[in-house]
Amino acid sequence: MANRIGRRMLAAGGAALLPAAGLVASARAQGAGESTLDRIRRTKTLRIAALPGELPYFQKDISSGAWSGAAIEMANSIAKLLDAKLEYTEATYGTSVLDVQTGKIDLAFALNPTPERALAVRFTHPMLIHPFGCLAKPGLEPKTWADINKPDIRIAFDIGSLHETVAKRFAPNAQHVGFPNRDQALLALQAGRADVDILAALLGLSATAKNPSLGHWDLLQQPTVALPSSLACQYEADTRFVDMLNAWLDFNRGIGQLREWLIDGLELEGVKRDQIPPELTF
């Protein structure tokens, strides 16, 4: 059972946590050695996790190897502040947590700060508060969780994800149909094997931009369910790096720059500004 839970956490973008003794030893070694900020300044390099095919945050050009997307623009801004260049480590949401924890990279983007992950890495202030909604079969236009919280509604989600968590929490009376990944859940909706597919806002907007036949993404309300997405860095005694990241986030949110980066990232996938629901804010 423990092994099964561990695999599900990794599939959801979690990470297999190092043993508690390993965490303590890692923290001691980090405290006794060079801090993240000092290492970045010495090497003039900011090491980040880069996730191929994860727009609006990341996109890699196959021919040139160049990276683009909202998280890349954010990383460039942070690197410029530190007079550093970017170094990319290809990862997934799950492996990027482990890469931060073990010191392979300095920074990971767009991670939900779950309690399990917070045992392994330090999270910043929220980058955005990410609301949840759904894609639905033709003729079904849900606006609230109550609209899909019915025994005859089949709700699809990717197993082990926050989509599964919120579906079971806010639509417990529906039929829950899990799939190994987001693409398979979307295919089930298209094939008529599900009535609704739960997706966070940016993922839902991206999915409909890539495949207009899916219809449109709807924000589910009453209640509005939204979870933070943050940056992650390593635990260390010297807090200057995370303090700087928090100040950077608060400043760029305040001037509207974070929103512009996110919208620009959505546009890379074909999402037009007028397709973004007015009630959706970043």
Side-chain angles (χ1 to χ4, degrees), residues 60-271:
K60 185 178 183 181
D61 185 278
I62 297 176
S63 59
S64 68
W67 288 91
S68 58
I72 298 300
E73 293 302 316
M74 294 177 194
N76 276 317
S77 174
I78 295 169
K80 183 178 179 180
L81 181 64
L82 297 174
D83 190 26
K85 68 179 186 298
L86 290 180
E87 180 178 294
Y88 307 106
T89 294
E90 292 197 17
T92 65
Y93 286 114
T95 61
S96 63
V97 174
L98 189 59
D99 287 344
V100 169
Q101 183 188 16
T102 56
K104 184 177 179 180
I105 60 174
D106 305 310
L107 193 59
F109 288 83
L111 290 170
N112 295 112
T114 64
E116 293 84 3
R117 286 173 171 170
L119 291 171
V121 295
R122 171 172 280 168
F123 287 101
T124 64
H125 295 171
M127 181 179 74
L128 76 154
I129 304 296
H130 206 176
F132 287 78
C134 71
L135 301 174
K137 68 179 182 180
L140 181 64
E141 296 190 0
K143 302 300 179 185
T144 69
W145 289 96
D147 291 338
I148 63 171
N149 187 26
K150 300 174 181 178
D152 60 334
I153 297 292
R154 298 164 299 172
I155 298 179
F157 47 73
D158 43 320
I159 295 171
S161 69
L162 290 174
H163 300 131
E164 177 181 7
T165 301
V166 299
K168 292 181 176 180
R169 170 71 175 82
F170 294 97
N173 296 323
Q175 300 175 47
H176 301 132
V177 188
F179 295 90
N181 55 55
R182 291 199 307 267
D183 288 343
Q184 290 187 33
L186 285 170
L187 286 173
L189 177 65
Q190 289 182 284
R193 292 183 286 118
D195 303 306
V196 170
D197 181 24
I198 298 297
L199 285 171
L202 300 187
L203 298 176
L205 292 170
S206 296
T208 56
K210 287 190 293 187
N211 187 353
S213 67
L214 290 170
H216 55 87
W217 178 87
D218 289 302
L219 176 68
L220 291 171
Q221 298 179 301
Q222 298 181 20
T224 298
V225 181
L227 293 168
S229 181
S230 300
L231 282 58
C233 57
Q234 198 171 43
Y235 276 114
E236 56 185 349
D238 185 341
T239 65
R240 289 177 298 160
F241 185 54
V242 70
D243 291 343
M244 180 276 294
L245 293 173
N246 284 331
W248 177 88
L249 282 164
D250 293 344
F251 177 80
N252 282 287
R253 181 182 300 103
I255 64 172
Q257 183 61 68
L258 288 180
R259 177 179 175 79
E260 288 303 308
W261 281 324
L262 288 165
I263 291 176
D264 288 346
L266 286 168
E267 288 181 331
L268 289 175
E269 200 154 25
V271 179

